[in-house]
Amino acid sequence: MINFLDLKAINAQYRQELIEACTSVIDSGWYIQGVEVQKFEKEFAAYCGTEHCIGVANGLDALILVFRAWKELGKLKEGDEVIVPANTYIASILAVTENKLKPILVEPDPQTFNICPTKIREAISKNTKAILAVHLYGQLAAMPEIMALATEHDLLVLEDSAQAHGAEINGKRAGNWGHASGFSFYPGKNLGALGDAGAVTTNDAELAKVLRALSNYGSHKKYENLYQGVNSRLDEIQAAMLRVKLKYLDNETHRRREIATSFAKKIENPLLSLPINFDSVNINLSNHVFHLFVLRTAKRDELQNYLIKNGIQTVIHYPIPPHKQKAYFENKISGIFLPITELIHKEVISIPISPVMTDEQVQFVIDVLNKFS
């Protein structure tokens, strides 16, 4: 069986370093907000090219806390509209509604699956105050166009960079385009911890200061609480794990791009639509870190069963779009019709793409896909 993602094999590459890092934390006697968190925040901010990184408990908290901080700073208020891609994981929507903001769902570009700038422009109203740009599957959204729209209309931009660690456009990385960005380090992410973990990056010192307080019970100083905060802190051991793995992230991304290139050049089955087209002029993979390699086919169920029978594990990202989820049946977003998003969610299937896949495994996946009928 070719696993969709073999986390055991990925982490085994760094096993000794991970053990040493964990041991160092254990022996330090300091387990919350210690040296490892401080060092990781500095290193990850430098990696993204930002002034600040604030470690939090997970990726959803990262997004929720940014919107909450903007409310505390008077930049947002309850009921304000936030433009969000309709084609995304539900966490993106949850971050908006958790802050009593109104999500305005916008259709994606059918070629990239990411939010369409033209559709964003059409959705902007007098109540629009922010854009949540999700870098889906590892590919940066059209950030130059999105930031231009935000500047034109005086809007805040929050990047959801949970799947796009290291992706860049013109040398500028995910996490350094918007006014802030939320990252997840869930174990299956390209930069994955060995448990839940997340972070916010920003160049806004005032925002960073408020975020640090909000994520620590609303406190900058022990027993003095400026806000009604929460407990959402990056764990010291997870920070140590992430520091080890950050050193190898670019190497793993290079391997993912190699595999994606092989898939794109060699998968020739007309029943399958690929996420990249090498017939395009001047194709540049720097904006995509291939967290996922997502095919589209009208015969998805048949393909998934066929691949399982041939020893290839797949995952569907995502079978039900947020506006069709029971969680939002009582919300106005549940009644809207989004044909592009709904078609994508019926047709997408993610095939294995992992930095520990061998060339032989990659070729096997290609051969099996080309024989599907």
Side-chain angles (χ1 to χ4, degrees):
M1 172 67 73
I2 298 178
N3 294 325
F4 178 74
L5 184 64
D6 191 341
L7 290 178
K8 184 176 180 180
I10 290 172
N11 290 321
Q13 303 172 101
Y14 320 122
R15 186 175 188 275
Q16 190 56 43
E17 286 185 73
L18 292 170
I19 290 172
E20 290 171 2
C22 186
T23 301
S24 176
V25 174
I26 293 169
D27 292 345
S28 74
W30 193 292
Y31 308 121
I32 298 291
Q33 293 186 317
V35 172
E36 293 296 329
V37 169
Q38 294 171 12
K39 288 183 177 180
F40 174 72
E41 289 178 339
K42 183 177 180 180
E43 291 161 3
F44 192 66
Y47 181 82
C48 295
T50 60
E51 292 293 324
H52 306 279
C53 171
I54 302 93
V56 295
N58 54 69
L60 176 56
D61 281 3
L63 299 176
I64 289 173
L65 287 168
V66 172
F67 284 127
R68 170 74 188 282
W70 280 336
K71 289 174 69 178
E72 294 288 353
L73 288 166
K75 295 183 178 183
L76 292 176
K77 65 181 186 305
E78 289 185 13
D80 283 344
E81 293 180 354
V82 179
I83 293 176
V84 188
N87 181 41
T88 186
Y89 183 54
I90 198 170
S92 306
I93 315 299
L94 290 171
V96 177
T97 57
E98 179 68 16
N99 280 285
K100 295 183 171 59
L101 302 168
K102 183 179 179 181
I104 304 298
L105 274 58
V106 167
E107 290 272 54
D109 180 328
Q111 298 301 313
T112 66
F113 303 153
N114 275 328
I115 193 167
C116 176
T118 300
K119 297 292 186 181
I120 292 175
R121 180 179 289 279
E122 293 171 358
I124 294 173
S125 75
K126 60 181 175 53
N127 297 317
T128 306
K129 301 300 178 184
I131 302 169
L132 177 55
V134 181
H135 308 315
L136 199 63
Y137 309 147
Q139 183 172 20
L140 273 179
M143 292 311 296
E145 294 89 341
I146 290 171
M147 293 310 298
L149 278 171
T151 299
E152 179 183 346
H153 294 276
D154 193 25
L155 304 176
L156 296 165
V157 176
L158 173 58
E159 297 173 72
D160 182 341
S161 300
Q163 301 184 3
H165 315 74
E168 62 182 48
I169 295 175
N170 298 327
K172 193 172 185 177
R173 281 182 164 156
N176 193 25
W177 279 95
H179 300 101
S181 176
F183 284 89
S184 169
F185 306 118
Y186 180 79
K189 303 301 185 186
N190 289 26
L191 178 60
L194 273 69
D196 270 324
V200 176
T201 56
T202 184
N203 292 306
D204 184 336
E206 185 180 27
L207 177 64
K209 185 177 180 181
V210 174
L211 283 165
R212 288 198 182 280
L214 285 175
S215 63
N216 186 40
Y217 297 99
S219 173
H220 285 299
K221 183 178 179 181
K222 197 168 185 178
Y223 303 128
E224 293 183 13
N225 303 81
L226 299 175
Y227 313 102
Q228 296 176 27
V230 297
N231 176 9
S232 181
R233 300 177 298 213
L234 177 59
D235 183 82
E236 187 75 358
I237 286 181
Q238 296 304 335
M241 303 295 99
L242 288 166
R243 290 188 66 215
V244 170
K245 297 184 72 176
L246 180 59
K247 295 184 294 184
Y248 302 103
L249 177 57
D250 286 345
N251 290 337
E252 292 197 359
T253 297
H254 177 72
R255 178 57 180 159
R256 287 176 180 272
R257 287 173 176 155
E258 283 184 339
I259 296 168
T261 299
S262 292
F263 284 160
K265 289 183 175 179
K266 297 179 181 179
I267 296 173
E268 299 175 336
N269 192 323
L271 295 174
L272 309 177
S273 297
L274 301 173
I276 51 175
N277 177 11
F278 274 86
D279 292 331
S280 299
V281 178
N282 297 324
I283 190 163
N284 183 355
L285 294 184
S286 65
N287 74 331
H288 206 322
V289 294
F290 293 98
H291 172 61
L292 301 172
F293 194 93
V294 181
L295 304 175
R296 286 180 64 183
T297 177
K299 302 176 72 174
R300 183 175 70 188
D301 291 345
E302 297 97 313
L303 177 61
Q304 189 167 44
N305 290 332
Y306 165 79
L307 291 173
I308 284 292
K309 289 177 182 178
N310 282 274
I312 300 170
Q313 186 182 40
T314 60
V315 177
I316 296 172
H317 296 91
Y318 303 95
I320 305 173
H323 70 285
K324 294 289 186 180
Q325 295 285 355
K326 185 176 180 180
Y328 286 110
F329 278 5
E330 300 302 318
N331 188 292
K332 289 183 180 179
I333 71 170
S334 67
I336 60 178
F337 178 51
L338 298 163
I340 299 174
T341 295
E342 291 170 23
L343 181 61
I344 287 172
H345 284 249
K346 289 179 182 178
E347 294 187 344
V348 290
I349 183 169
S350 302
I351 62 175
I353 183 166
S354 162
V356 295
M357 285 180 72
T358 65
D359 290 342
E360 291 74 21
Q361 288 175 319
V362 172
Q363 188 60 50
F364 178 75
V365 171
I366 292 166
D367 291 342
V368 170
L369 285 169
N370 282 337
K371 292 175 183 175
F372 174 67
S373 61

